[in-house]
Amino acid sequence: MVISLAQLYTFIEVEGETGETGSNPFCPNCRVRLSRDRKYRNRFAESVLSSLMVPCKNPGCKEMVQYGSLKDHSQKCGFRTLKCKYEPLGCDWEGIHNNVKDHQKKCKLKKAQAKDILKNVIA
């Protein structure tokens, strides 16, 4: 079920402290005065939206996660994009987390001589 922010505002407006529509009601949760003209944090909307199921934003990942858990999933997702741990030494490989171990086993900089690495770092 998708609820628009306008519907949420209407609900809170009707359920406001005075019960009269258009009376600058208070949020039932945090008691802040609500106004269409002033920006405020809508905790009711946050709680509703955080439970919605959304797709992971990493290309290739088909997982659906709760919106409130999306940041945590994105940091652990096997399809997140990573760079090689030897990137500061000159490796330009970039790929998904699931492939990083295979790359690092055969990364050209892993077996490179120190003088060759220094050339890349200094250049």
Side-chain angles (χ1 to χ4, degrees), residues 56-114:
C56 176
K57 295 181 179 183
N58 292 319
C61 183
K62 305 289 185 213
E63 202 164 329
M64 296 289 288
V65 295
Q66 286 185 331
Y67 183 76
S69 303
L70 185 60
K71 183 177 180 180
D72 185 49
H73 168 78
S74 294
Q75 292 172 345
K76 297 176 182 175
C77 180
F79 289 93
R80 69 187 183 276
T81 303
L82 296 176
K83 293 185 178 193
C84 178
K85 70 179 182 181
Y86 301 114
E87 188 242 351
L89 302 176
C91 180
D92 59 355
W93 181 87
E94 187 174 310
I96 63 172
H97 177 265
N98 291 341
N99 296 340
V100 74
K101 285 184 181 179
D102 290 336
H103 165 73
Q104 288 176 352
K105 286 179 186 174
K106 59 184 177 187
C107 181
K108 62 182 180 184
L109 289 175
K110 184 176 180 179
K111 295 181 180 179
Q113 301 238 344

Side-chain angles (χ1 to χ4, degrees), residues 19-60:
E20 300 173 19
T21 302
S23 62
N24 283 338
F26 292 87
C27 172
N29 189 23
C30 64
R31 309 306 300 160
V32 69
R33 183 177 291 277
L34 302 177
S35 167
R36 289 187 190 272
D37 302 326
R38 192 179 72 191
K39 294 181 181 179
Y40 57 91
R41 183 173 181 181
N42 190 330
R43 293 183 190 271
F44 178 71
E46 286 177 11
S47 67
V48 170
L49 295 174
S50 70
S51 64
L52 293 176
M53 298 301 286
V54 295
C56 176
K57 295 181 179 183
N58 292 319

